[in-house]
Amino acid sequence: PVDSPGTLRGMNGVNRAFLAAGRRYPRLTRPVVSMIGTLWRRSPLAAALWFQTLLPRTDLTLISQPSIGRALGASLQQALSQGSRGVAHEFGLMVSPWGFALEEIAHEVRFWHGDADSYVPIGMAEHLCSRLRRAKLEVVPGAGHFLVVDAAQSILEEMVERMECTSGASAPLME
């Protein structure tokens, strides 16, 4: 749904341009995205500079913490360890029609999204929620793209609580 009105509101200019180009020139942009992925794999510094340029301040503060920065770097390296074709494929899926209407999804869907995320703006989550029959958006004030780092515990607790309510079972979250 990246071509729906308002979904890119608040997105940084580079990501917005890539998505627009991807919709209009998919055969050109997928190889470019693949080359960026290859660059990231070969040069973690290039990936770090990319994120430093495009992420909101709240995320930059978060990833400047050594343990979080190392974890992000390791995650990115693992994602690209077998090449960048997966990155290009995922980008292609993001800018292509999905082949189904969001309104067809009957299950409850819950989103947590930071209102300071300029990498994937809140407009995307709002759009998805407006089209899904049973969606709820939890806006996390001041959080950016990596909101899960600070909010993981509360998100997981809420998910476990909802599972317990629907199944009647009780299981410890973490021991």
Side-chain angles (χ1 to χ4, degrees):
V2 297
D3 57 351
S4 299
T7 57
L8 304 184
R9 175 182 39 83
M11 179 177 278
N12 69 63
V14 172
N15 284 6
R16 196 171 43 250
F18 266 106
L19 291 175
R23 285 192 311 272
R24 191 162 185 172
Y25 308 107
R27 288 192 168 160
L28 174 65
T29 51
R30 288 180 193 164
V32 171
V33 169
S34 182
M35 288 186 327
I36 291 169
T38 299
L39 174 64
W40 288 359
R41 183 168 45 101
R42 293 182 180 161
S43 172
L45 178 60
L49 291 172
W50 176 277
F51 287 116
Q52 285 176 5
T53 304
L54 301 177
L55 287 174
R57 182 168 301 182
T58 186
D59 285 327
L60 294 175
T61 301
L62 197 61
I63 65 174
S64 71
Q65 298 174 36
S67 62
I68 295 172
R70 281 192 303 273
L72 176 61
S75 177
L76 187 57
Q77 288 297 306
Q78 180 61 37
L80 296 167
S81 66
Q82 296 186 22
S84 58
R85 284 189 1 217
V87 173
H89 179 72
E90 186 174 316
F91 178 78
L93 293 173
M94 191 174 12
V95 298
S96 301
W98 291 355
F100 63 91
L102 291 170
E103 294 80 3
E104 295 172 9
I105 298 173
H107 293 283
E108 181 179 349
V109 180
R110 207 164 193 101
F111 292 89
W112 286 266
H113 205 102
D115 66 359
D117 189 349
S118 60
Y119 207 75
V120 177
I122 197 165
M124 288 186 158
E126 290 168 342
H127 175 74
L128 289 170
C129 285
S130 75
R131 300 229 359 241
L132 293 164
R133 288 192 267 168
R134 297 175 57 210
K136 180 165 183 187
L137 173 60
E138 299 284 344
V139 177
V140 182
H145 193 66
F146 298 120
L147 77 93
V148 72
V149 173
D150 288 330
Q153 184 71 31
S154 62
I155 291 171
L156 290 172
E157 286 172 355
E158 184 174 336
M159 291 172 68
V160 167
E161 183 179 309
R162 294 188 63 71
M163 287 173 33
E164 289 173 351
C165 288
T166 58
S167 71
S170 179
L173 178 60
M174 288 190 220
E175 294 190 33

